[in-house]
Amino acid sequence: MVAIFDPVHGTIEVNTAEIRIIDSRPFQRLRYIKQLGFAELAFPGASHSRYSHSLGAMHMATRMIDRALCAIDISQQDKNRLRQTVRLAMLLHDLGHPPLSHVSERVMPKVAELNLGSWIDNIERQATHEDYTLKLILHSELYDLIKTQAKDTGVEPEHIAALICGHAPANDKQAFVINSYDLLPLLTQIVSSEMDADRMDYLRRDAYACGVSYGNFDHQWLVSNVTAALYEGQYTLGLQHKGVWAFENFLLARLHMFLAIYYHHTTTCFEHMLGKFYETSDYQLPAHCEEYLNHDDIQLWMTLRSSNNPWAERIVQRRPYRLLVETHDFNEEQKYMVLDERLHHANIDFFRLRSQGVLSKYFRQCEQTFPLLVIEPEVGRISRIEEYTPLYRRFSDVVAVSRIFCLPEHIKQARAILGDPLLG
């Protein structure tokens, strides 16, 4: 075992096979992809990478799978295989992220160009970073490396891909069926779900890097209450009822991080300007693995610096538009339509951004996906999390922030228009 020292988790232990995978080009590329894109323009400490996040997420996933497997009667050999599969899936889950931010996904090709076959259902849609993650695991040098390094534990690259995309390999539907029970739902929930290792790392890591406390929650108590539960003949993620309040704390941490960090006005403004650069240039992300590995934050910044595109120049010279007004209720937007008209009439250069996201992408899918179950052993009861805690229902709502930005040289004139009592 090798020790990696991390500011969030302390010592993270990795084995020899994992070190060789970490040293590969696809994983090393993550050193040059910032976790929060443009956020460091508002929070100077937020220069951490998806490389460090991936290591931390693997550490949290290990703690979760170790707790969950305590509740399942399977052989030690099977436990070792499942544990290693989860660790590698979590380590590699962010491989496909594009440069700077999620906005760069808009210059990805159609997913059909990635040639992922049965791993993809709808080949007409645009590719996402998850698709590129599958591409790099299955079609890059990583494939043979995983086959070689993980052969002693029985882990296959297809098993890792299955945990990331959420369905078993087409040629190995029984990969996670042990003693007639399917463990795939449990394993995929640790990688991506309402209470996954990804969030457990990035909330604390992002809060640490940004110098805020919003993302902190009682991770020790939450993980110590993780378990596994049988649900319709399959094992799914469970939580002892004693840990529900820590789960609620976890939900609130995510809500506050969205409002304070992820939707910060500086970040959203620069992301919008990057999007405008993409719209007015021929910059595209390639479908081929070798070419994609050359695209990282450094490459994109070099492209922006060498471009005479006005949006690129504004980004490079750090000349953002200024925030004029912000509201947290889209229902109020009708009130500001008069403002939009006045700004247009005054020839003020402005744009309106609507930052919105569902805090729980799983809440509305709870009937189609495997739930997080609350276990009450004292009374012999198992409940779905949405039935157990009313706070969870709040997370079916949308976090909505509406903002108007204008050119700095127009800010005084725009504020005068905003202050016109006729707008009220």
Side-chain angles (χ1 to χ4, degrees):
M1 300 296 285
V2 176
I4 295 176
F5 299 100
D6 180 72
V8 176
H9 302 294
T11 302
I12 297 175
E13 292 188 338
V14 293
N15 60 42
T16 302
E18 291 163 349
I19 281 291
R20 291 187 176 129
I21 292 171
I22 288 169
D23 285 343
S24 68
R25 285 193 309 148
F27 193 80
Q28 288 295 311
R29 170 181 172 271
L30 296 182
R31 287 184 182 272
Y32 312 108
I33 303 287
K34 285 190 174 65
Q35 175 73 11
L36 294 182
F38 289 109
E40 69 170 335
L41 297 178
F43 304 94
S47 59
H48 57 304
S49 68
R50 292 195 177 271
Y51 177 90
S52 59
H53 160 62
S54 297
L55 292 169
M58 179 182 70
H59 176 75
M60 292 305 299
T62 305
R63 294 181 59 193
M64 292 178 71
I65 189 63
D66 285 347
R67 293 293 304 178
L69 290 178
C70 289
I72 304 175
D73 184 18
I74 58 176
S75 70
Q76 190 59 49
Q77 182 178 7
D78 282 327
K79 286 185 177 181
N80 292 342
R81 176 174 68 90
L82 298 179
R83 186 179 192 268
Q84 185 64 80
T85 307
V86 168
R87 280 177 63 85
L88 290 177
M90 206 70 251
L91 180 70
L92 303 177
H93 79 286
D94 268 356
L95 278 184
H97 263 283
L100 281 181
S101 71
H102 286 277
V103 71
S104 296
E105 293 192 24
R106 69 177 62 179
V107 288
M108 287 180 172
K110 291 288 186 182
V111 71
E113 295 185 34
L114 271 59
N115 296 316
L116 291 170
S118 62
W119 292 98
I120 302 298
D121 293 329
N122 177 15
I123 62 172
E124 297 301 319
R125 64 173 174 80
Q126 190 171 34
T128 66
H129 74 272
E130 290 93 348
D131 299 320
Y132 271 92
T133 295
L134 294 179
K135 176 78 174 175
L136 291 169
I137 291 172
L138 298 170
H139 296 168
S140 77
E141 63 200 64
L142 267 179
Y143 186 85
D144 289 338
L145 186 60
I146 294 168
K147 295 276 286 188
T148 302
Q149 297 300 322
K151 63 181 179 180
D152 291 341
T153 56
V155 177
E156 299 288 341
E158 291 81 3
H159 297 167
I160 297 168
L163 299 197
I164 292 171
C165 71
H167 62 80
N171 63 347
D172 192 3
K173 294 292 187 181
Q174 302 299 304
F176 302 100
V177 176
I178 302 174
N179 299 335
S180 301
Y181 294 113
D182 190 0
L183 277 73
L184 180 60
L186 167 66
L187 306 181
T188 56
Q189 282 178 293
I190 291 174
V191 174
S192 179
S193 72
E194 200 64 88
M195 191 180 74
D196 58 34
D198 183 25
R199 296 180 184 184
M200 286 199 188
D201 179 80
Y202 77 62
L203 287 175
R204 295 176 59 221
R205 187 174 300 277
D206 295 348
Y208 173 87
C210 292
V212 300
S213 59
Y214 311 117
N216 293 319
F217 57 95
D218 193 346
H219 63 284
Q220 299 280 11
W221 185 248
L222 184 58
V223 172
S224 69
N225 280 283
V226 165
T227 186
L230 271 175
Y231 178 82
E232 297 182 354
Q234 297 175 299
Y235 275 103
T236 187
L237 192 62
L239 182 66
Q240 299 286 349
H241 69 96
K242 297 178 294 183
V244 169
W245 66 264
F247 173 69
E248 292 176 342
N249 183 215
F250 173 71
L251 293 177
L252 289 172
R254 188 162 183 260
L255 167 64
H256 296 155
M257 287 294 285
F258 262 95
L259 294 175
I261 306 298
Y262 305 138
Y263 286 165
H264 190 277
H265 65 87
T266 298
T267 304
T268 57
C269 180
F270 273 89
E271 287 177 350
H272 175 77
M273 293 194 298
L274 180 61
K276 298 299 288 185
F277 165 73
Y278 289 146
E279 291 175 10
T280 55
S281 72
D282 58 359
Y283 187 93
Q284 290 290 318
L285 290 170
H288 193 273
C289 286
E290 287 296 316
E291 295 176 21
Y292 190 73
L293 290 177
N294 291 324
H295 284 257
D296 55 23
D297 288 3
I298 296 173
Q299 181 274 337
L300 180 53
W301 274 111
M302 290 175 63
T303 299
L304 293 171
R305 288 191 177 110
S306 62
S307 173
N308 58 7
N309 181 290
W311 292 103
E313 292 176 347
R314 188 168 286 278
I315 293 169
V316 170
Q317 296 167 16
R318 201 179 184 279
R319 294 189 291 113
Y321 280 48
R322 291 281 298 278
L323 177 63
L324 176 63
V325 63
E326 173 179 306
T327 62
H328 291 257
D329 185 352
F330 283 4
N331 294 327
E332 294 183 5
E333 288 196 346
Q334 192 63 36
K335 169 183 174 182
Y336 288 99
M337 292 305 294
V338 177
L339 174 61
D340 286 12
E341 293 174 5
R342 295 277 188 89
L343 294 174
H344 278 299
H345 183 71
N347 293 320
I348 290 176
D349 189 349
F350 76 99
F351 55 78
R352 181 186 290 275
L353 295 184
R354 296 171 176 84
S355 302
Q356 67 179 59
V358 179
L359 285 169
S360 170
K361 66 180 179 180
Y362 304 96
F363 187 92
R364 291 189 175 91
Q365 302 173 7
C366 62
E367 295 302 323
Q368 290 79 40
T369 58
F370 286 90
L372 174 62
L373 298 176
V374 179
I375 315 299
E376 299 176 89
E378 297 86 353
V379 295
R381 182 166 56 202
I382 297 179
S383 309
R384 299 170 70 103
I385 188 67
E386 64 269 21
E387 299 167 352
Y388 190 88
T389 170
L391 180 63
Y392 182 55
R393 293 192 172 275
R394 178 181 178 185
F395 285 75
S396 64
D397 295 335
V398 171
V399 174
V401 184
S402 179
R403 297 182 174 111
I404 296 177
F405 296 82
C406 71
L407 281 177
E409 52 266 36
H410 293 166
I411 193 71
K412 282 188 177 181
Q413 185 182 1
R415 283 176 176 167
I417 294 173
L418 177 63
D420 189 334
L422 293 177
L423 285 173

